[in-house]
Amino acid sequence: QVQLAESGGGSVQAGGSLRLSCTASASATYMAWFRQVPGKEREGVAASGRLGKTGYADSVKGRFTVSRDYAKNVLNLEMNRLTPEDTGMYYCAARWSEVPGHTWSLVEAFYGFWGPGNQVNVSS
């Protein structure tokens, strides 16, 4: 049974930093972070995939950094200069099967495995 477990997150004031980590029970080809607030659709935040490639949502470029520890099957997300708009439940996602032509993805339907989520609260 494939499992994803998130850790980190919490509460911080605007301008602060937080770190999220996701540990997978096995090495995945693609991994990503998504976030969701009540009443809104889940949105892709940052992704890590084949060939060490990464991708980011425009809203977090320059502030968030995603990294992989392939030896430990861990996906990290460093979040800096946080704003209240970054508040939400953050989910780790993974896909094991390779998709030709895709080095990373921020599309929710691309991923078949999800962690339970970890809350991030940013106060103004």
Side-chain angles (χ1 to χ4, degrees):
Q1 180 77 16
V2 172
Q3 290 185 331
L4 300 173
E6 301 108 338
S7 62
S11 298
V12 68
Q13 288 190 325
S17 299
L18 287 172
R19 176 186 173 99
L20 290 169
S21 293
C22 172
T23 301
S25 56
S27 179
T29 304
Y30 307 93
M31 294 185 76
W33 288 101
F34 287 73
R35 66 187 179 192
Q36 188 172 26
V37 296
K40 292 189 176 182
E41 294 185 353
R42 193 177 297 185
E43 64 169 344
V45 174
S48 171
R50 295 174 53 240
L51 308 176
K53 299 294 186 180
T54 59
Y56 298 89
D58 288 343
S59 60
V60 306
K61 281 180 181 177
R63 300 188 300 121
F64 290 13
T65 303
V66 66
S67 61
R68 293 272 293 267
D69 183 336
Y70 288 91
K72 298 180 179 179
N73 300 330
V74 173
L75 179 74
N76 298 306
L77 184 68
E78 297 283 349
M79 303 181 290
N80 298 312
R81 304 201 311 273
L82 286 160
T83 72
E85 288 69 37
D86 295 314
T87 293
M89 184 69 78
Y90 282 68
Y91 298 90
C92 177
R95 178 185 179 114
W96 273 259
S97 59
E98 188 173 320
V99 178
H102 280 70
T103 52
W104 55 268
S105 177
L106 287 177
V107 176
E108 183 178 1
F110 187 82
Y111 297 91
F113 296 92
W114 295 84
N118 216 6
Q119 184 67 34
V120 169
N121 294 310
V122 185
S123 59
S124 57

